[in-house]
Amino acid sequence: HCKSFAPKYEELARKIHAINEQQQHDNNSKKSTRSVRIAKLDGHKERAVASRFTFAGYPSFFLIDGWSVYEYEGSRNVQEMLHFITTKYKEEDPIPFWTSPMGPLGQFQALLVVIGSSAMGVFEWLTESHGLSPMVAGLIFAAFFLFSGFFVMIAVALLLIPKEKED
């Protein structure tokens, strides 16, 4: 579906770009206007970003306006999508902030994916660049997290020690 939609997506991006340029020309930099940017994301490659959005299939379309996120659920018609981007989204309810990609759960989910991806990168680096067996690399990870957890517990305990009052 994504490849068949690509020409329509390009046309939509050109129209939005033309609208942005026209608004800038009309306002002559006197007043701040809403500028729309179109972005394409490969959800299979960019898992950290894609994990923050809930969608049933590809292609999916979201409009982000500040901290509000709107999901486009209409037909894949360029004119209807353009109408949604320019005006109709204001009539729709945004995704609830708490669960939206810009909200706390979306941010936390992205953080977990980034940490997991980084850990996998380090694991691959240990096994491929240094020639360690997966078992040894796993033991290094286990030791690192064991000692890290130990030091975090000590730090928390030190912060929670009751302090004597001095009169």
Side-chain angles (χ1 to χ4, degrees):
H1 295 288
C2 293
K3 290 181 182 183
S4 64
F5 185 76
K8 291 180 183 177
Y9 172 82
E10 296 294 330
E11 180 184 350
L12 180 65
R14 280 192 300 275
K15 288 185 178 195
I16 289 295
H17 183 71
I19 289 171
N20 288 342
E21 284 186 350
Q22 184 63 42
Q23 284 178 343
Q24 286 178 347
H25 182 267
D26 290 348
N27 288 332
N28 224 3
S29 300
K30 292 179 186 172
K31 182 175 137 185
S32 170
T33 61
R34 180 176 169 264
S35 179
V36 177
R37 294 185 181 108
I38 301 287
K40 181 169 45 173
L41 174 82
D42 184 343
H44 296 293
K45 292 180 183 174
E46 300 292 335
R47 291 184 188 150
V49 176
S51 71
R52 294 167 59 186
F53 292 85
T54 305
F55 46 85
Y58 293 100
S60 294
F61 301 92
F62 295 90
L63 183 132
I64 301 172
D65 187 22
W67 289 97
S68 300
V69 179
Y70 301 85
E71 183 172 8
Y72 177 72
E73 296 175 343
S75 71
R76 302 300 188 241
N77 175 302
V78 173
Q79 287 307 110
E80 286 185 35
M81 293 180 77
L82 189 61
H83 177 63
F84 178 81
I85 291 169
T86 54
T87 57
K88 190 171 187 262
Y89 80 95
K90 295 174 189 172
E91 301 167 9
E92 304 286 329
D93 289 331
I95 296 172
F97 179 72
W98 183 252
T99 58
S100 86
M102 306 303 276
L105 290 180
Q107 299 290 331
F108 183 68
Q109 187 176 14
L111 177 66
L112 291 178
V113 170
V114 167
I115 290 171
S117 296
S118 299
M120 287 304 297
V122 170
F123 181 81
E124 289 173 1
W125 176 71
L126 287 172
T127 56
E128 293 172 8
S129 296
H130 294 291
L132 298 176
S133 72
M135 177 67 87
V136 172
L139 288 173
I140 290 171
F141 265 90
F144 172 75
F145 287 112
L146 182 69
F147 286 114
S148 297
F150 180 69
F151 286 116
V152 167
M153 287 190 305
I154 290 174
V156 168
L158 289 174
L159 291 172
L160 297 177
I161 292 176
K163 295 175 179 59
E164 290 185 32
K165 280 187 170 182
E166 292 181 26
D167 291 325

